[in-house]
Amino acid sequence: MKRAFIYKDEKSHKFWWIDYSGCDFAVNYGKFNSIGKFEIKDFDTEEECLKQAEKLIHSKEKKGYVEDANFDFMHRIYIDSEEYGLHPKTSHPRFTEHFTEELYYDCVDEEAPFGSDEGSDTLDSLEETIRKNPKLNFLDYPKYLIEHDWGMEYIPVESLDPEVVKKLASKKEMDMTQSDMVTYATAFGQIKITGRLSPKLQEQGVKAIKRLALLWGNGLTEIQNRMIDDLLSFPIGKD
């Protein structure tokens, strides 16, 4: 359950919302119209979680916060808690609604969007950058991250012909692997953070997964097929 509250007086205008269910809750708070700070807390039982959530809500109301039934949860930026990491409650509602498999919150599986070191670092970098630049151009970000921050060469997917990929990999396999992992992590990251996806980045993300499968030489795995299907079926153009 999500509930949002607003505090406003002559000196300040703040928001605070909580999303609680099961054995954990997330809170997001800060100056109104800011991204704010995200926190996650978990408990041994659902009863304890509910008790602590209601206690926090009561505390906010005593301080003068007023519930806002029309709070816009959709047009917001969502960033994981630094202390907790990947979590559905600190992901955009469109992401959690569409990407339901556990793999999207897996931080150890190399194939998962954010499971590899490259994928995890990409998401961390995206979240850090978007705090400074809410109008971040996600489409150009893979090239920027690879070349500006990591000092490697970004290799876009220009062909999925196995022979062409094999020939290029003989010279630049590491750069290609890094490029592919960062590209599809950025595509998923854009949705996780903003609830939107650039059509071009959708296309590039799918191609990156397919080329990585060619690089690894085992064909598309179950996880890779799942990611491709989910990326392609994500609604493009939502406001």
Side-chain angles (χ1 to χ4, degrees), residues 143-152:
K143 179 179 175 64
Y144 175 85
L145 181 63
I146 290 284
E147 297 191 347
H148 181 271
D149 288 4
W150 295 1
M152 301 179 72

Side-chain angles (χ1 to χ4, degrees), residues 107-123:
C107 58
V108 295
D109 193 316
E110 286 286 312
E111 293 182 53
F114 314 118
S116 64
D117 289 341
E118 293 84 356
S120 176
D121 290 346
T122 297
L123 182 61

Side-chain angles (χ1 to χ4, degrees), residues 1-222:
M1 178 184 292
K2 283 187 176 181
R3 296 179 66 184
F5 297 80
I6 302 297
Y7 179 88
K8 188 175 183 181
D9 62 17
E10 64 276 4
K11 294 182 179 180
S12 62
H13 189 185
K14 298 181 287 186
F15 74 93
W16 181 88
W17 63 254
I18 184 168
D19 182 0
Y20 58 102
S21 62
C23 294
D24 56 44
F25 65 64
V27 294
N28 175 215
Y29 57 91
K31 293 182 179 180
F32 197 77
N33 287 331
S34 73
I35 295 174
K37 181 176 176 62
F38 288 82
E39 294 179 354
I40 292 279
K41 292 189 177 181
D42 50 22
F43 304 88
D44 293 333
T45 65
E46 293 185 22
E47 290 76 16
E48 183 63 19
C49 179
L50 177 60
K51 177 182 176 181
Q52 294 302 320
E54 291 178 340
K55 182 178 179 180
L56 268 178
I57 291 170
H58 182 62
S59 172
K60 291 298 178 183
E61 290 176 328
K62 285 185 66 176
K63 292 179 180 179
Y65 280 78
V66 177
E67 187 160 10
D68 181 2
N70 297 313
F71 189 82
D72 187 358
F73 285 102
M74 302 305 289
H75 295 88
R76 295 194 59 79
I77 289 172
Y78 288 76
I79 293 176
D80 289 313
S81 161
E82 291 183 11
E83 294 78 13
Y84 203 97
L86 291 170
H87 198 284
K89 289 186 175 73
T90 49
S91 302
H92 194 282
R94 290 193 184 117
F95 185 87
T96 56
E97 178 183 357
H98 188 80
F99 300 97
T100 58
E101 302 288 339
E102 291 184 6
L103 73 96
Y104 295 110
Y105 305 99
D106 192 320
C107 58
V108 295
D109 193 316
E110 286 286 312
E111 293 182 53
F114 314 118
S116 64
D117 289 341
E118 293 84 356
S120 176
D121 290 346
T122 297
L123 182 61
D124 288 345
S125 182
L126 284 170
E127 292 181 338
E128 179 181 349
T129 303
I130 203 166
R131 280 195 177 277
K132 303 172 185 176
N133 178 21
K135 295 183 178 180
L136 174 67
N137 186 332
F138 285 85
L139 180 60
D140 294 340
Y141 200 76
K143 179 179 175 64
Y144 175 85
L145 181 63
I146 290 284
E147 297 191 347
H148 181 271
D149 288 4
W150 295 1
M152 301 179 72
E153 182 182 359
Y154 180 69
I155 313 292
V157 182
E158 296 178 346
S159 174
L160 289 172
D161 181 283
E163 291 304 316
V164 174
V165 172
K166 183 179 179 180
K167 183 177 180 180
L168 186 58
S170 66
K171 302 176 181 178
K172 301 181 178 182
E173 182 175 0
M174 180 58 69
D175 286 331
M176 293 170 71
T177 300
Q178 300 277 308
S179 298
D180 290 341
M181 286 183 161
V182 169
T183 297
Y184 72 77
T186 300
F188 286 105
Q190 183 182 13
I191 307 169
K192 188 179 185 304
I193 294 169
T194 71
R196 298 184 299 275
L197 177 61
S198 157
K200 186 64 176 177
L201 184 55
Q202 179 191 54
E203 176 187 340
Q204 291 180 357
V206 168
K207 287 182 176 179
I209 296 170
K210 290 180 177 180
R211 187 174 71 175
L212 190 62
L214 291 173
L215 284 171
W216 286 350
N218 299 320
L220 286 167
T221 66
E222 182 179 348

